Amino acid sequence: MKVLFVINQLFKGGAETALVNLLSAMPPEKYQVDLLLYDQIDIPNTVTLVSKIPSYVNVYNIAENEKKLAYIKKGIFKAYRSLTGRTAFRRKAYRVLKENEYDTAISFGEWFSCSLVAKYARARRKYVWIHADADKADFFHPDICRYNRIFDGFIFVSGISKLSAESHYPFLKNRSYVINNIINRDEVIEKSNQPLPFPLPAENLPRLVTVANIRPEKNHLRQVRVMKKLFDRGLRFYWINVGSRANRALSDEIELLIRRFGLQDYCIFTGAVENPYPAIKNSDAVCVLSDHESWSMVITEAKTVGTPVIATKTSGALEQIVHKETG
């Protein structure tokens, strides 16, 4: 069976890690897998997962050799989308799809246009794999609605997320499926026993850890405000945040709030690291405080290494955690 996955970029994040885990779980004797990355450019303060892709997966890294030209093209594509409401792709991507046929083609992710798969992939079946709560995420791409009739189905990573999406978008009813994100349990445990990628504070205080790239829906701003309220009540602890700070505007806003509240010595941002699992294992609790989260990889990973989880009541957390028993 020949399968195509299409994603814009493969930097370390929950959905991207889930994809790498999925590819690793697909036996090469059963599946011939192609992965098309159409916009994998060099972005500071990120960790790429390209090297983690299994060797038996055929990777088309469309922008691999463009260097600075990639940023120019990205600007052109952004302007085109702003003017026309539609998405353009690199010619090499069109050429790859023209030259190949597949049993199944999957547009992996709801945050970018599925039109490349919808219009140009030659496949017997086509799907969109959705990782967020479609009724809540402001990055749910409109092309999923625009081209929905072309797709054979839509894959969600949690049952609650699927039901809420079907209520919000009636075209999803009877065309949606659930496949939970998977982790590589043995790898997580092995990596959690490796040395810490950064020093932990020496003072003997409780340590909370959040592993999340800085994006609005992860709500680090609320986290800092909550931390201030707890400190005002006399509590003291460290809150260590692991994740990409590529969103500079939001990162600066968070830093200003931390300084305003005088939390610089206690609220720590490490930036992106390749292996966050030792920090997860060596914390007193892992905090997942997203506004919405369809199925959190971090919750599953924390449970795997035996660290308690504190989470907002998202669709994923409601399925992943038994309240006061497993988090």
Side-chain angles (χ1 to χ4, degrees):
M1 183 176 182
K2 192 171 183 180
V3 182
L4 169 71
F5 291 90
V6 175
I7 191 169
N8 61 331
Q9 297 172 338
L10 200 69
F11 297 109
K12 191 172 183 64
E16 294 82 0
T17 300
L19 174 57
V20 172
N21 291 341
L22 176 65
L23 296 175
S24 300
M26 298 177 71
E29 63 273 12
K30 185 175 180 180
Y31 299 99
Q32 181 182 344
V33 182
D34 285 359
L35 173 64
L36 191 152
L37 303 172
Y38 69 78
D39 196 28
Q40 183 76 12
I41 64 178
D42 184 20
I43 299 178
N45 196 28
T46 56
V47 174
T48 177
L49 295 177
V50 173
S51 64
K52 307 298 183 184
I53 300 169
S55 59
Y56 50 80
V57 173
N58 181 35
V59 180
Y60 294 101
N61 194 344
I62 302 300
E64 184 174 18
N65 299 314
E66 290 182 349
K67 301 187 185 303
K68 291 183 179 180
L69 179 62
Y71 290 92
I72 297 173
K73 287 188 176 182
K74 194 174 185 70
I76 293 172
F77 292 153
K78 186 176 181 179
Y80 177 82
R81 185 169 63 249
S82 177
L83 291 170
T84 67
R86 300 186 181 277
T87 303
F89 304 93
R90 291 167 172 82
R91 291 180 182 177
K92 186 178 178 181
Y94 298 129
R95 188 165 63 249
V96 166
L97 296 182
K98 184 178 180 180
E99 293 172 353
N100 291 279
E101 292 186 28
Y102 299 94
D103 296 294
T104 300
I106 299 168
S107 183
F108 197 90
E110 70 289 335
W111 56 88
F112 65 91
S113 174
C114 61
S115 63
L116 190 60
V117 170
K119 296 172 65 177
Y120 301 102
R122 297 195 295 163
R124 291 173 53 244
R125 287 186 170 274
K126 298 182 179 183
Y127 298 89
V128 178
W129 203 308
I130 298 170
H131 288 78
D133 290 328
D135 59 324
K136 299 181 182 71
D138 58 6
F139 47 81
F140 189 75
H141 202 285
D143 281 352
I144 295 175
C145 300
R146 179 180 293 159
Y147 296 105
N148 84 85
R149 294 182 181 277
I150 296 176
F151 289 94
D152 296 277
F154 302 85
I155 301 169
F156 290 84
V157 296
S158 80
I160 294 175
S161 182
K162 169 182 171 293
L163 291 174
S164 61
E166 288 175 340
S167 177
H168 198 75
Y169 297 102
F171 70 81
L172 294 169
K173 291 181 179 178
N174 302 316
R175 300 172 63 197
S176 299
Y177 311 89
V178 175
I179 301 177
N180 299 143
N181 285 338
I182 64 173
I183 69 167
N184 186 329
R185 180 180 174 83
D186 292 339
E187 180 184 49
V188 169
I189 292 172
E190 187 274 326
K191 285 188 172 182
S192 73
N193 292 319
Q194 294 178 7
L196 283 157
F198 45 79
L200 292 176
E203 190 176 352
N204 189 25
L205 290 175
R207 291 192 295 262
L208 306 182
V209 168
T210 291
V211 181
N213 296 330
I214 292 180
R215 299 200 300 265
E217 70 275 10
K218 301 301 182 181
N219 216 325
H220 291 84
L221 288 169
R222 179 174 58 199
Q223 171 197 318
V224 176
R225 294 188 182 101
V226 169
M227 189 174 184
K228 173 64 164 58
K229 288 185 177 182
L230 293 173
F231 269 53
D232 287 346
R233 297 179 186 179
L235 296 173
R236 289 294 180 271
F237 55 90
Y238 292 106
W239 204 328
I240 301 164
N241 294 268
V242 182
S244 169
R245 304 182 68 179
N247 187 329
R248 289 308 313 168
L250 182 54
S251 295
D252 291 345
E253 188 177 355
I254 293 166
E255 286 288 349
L256 284 172
L257 192 62
I258 290 170
R259 289 199 294 272
R260 175 183 157 195
F261 290 156
L263 297 173
Q264 303 94 310
D265 294 334
Y266 298 94
C267 191
I268 301 165
F269 284 77
T270 69
V273 299
E274 187 170 341
N275 179 14
Y277 305 120
I280 291 174
K281 183 177 180 180
N282 289 280
S283 64
D284 294 285
V286 168
C287 300
V288 182
L289 303 183
S290 304
D291 292 335
H292 49 83
E293 193 88 54
S294 190
W295 187 274
S296 170
M297 294 290 287
V298 176
I299 289 177
T300 307
E301 291 160 350
K303 291 167 65 179
T304 298
V305 300
T307 302
V309 177
I310 301 169
T312 42
K313 193 184 290 186
T314 60
S315 58
L318 287 169
E319 292 187 45
Q320 292 174 276
I321 292 174
V322 178
H323 183 48
K324 294 188 179 181
E325 291 184 25
T326 59

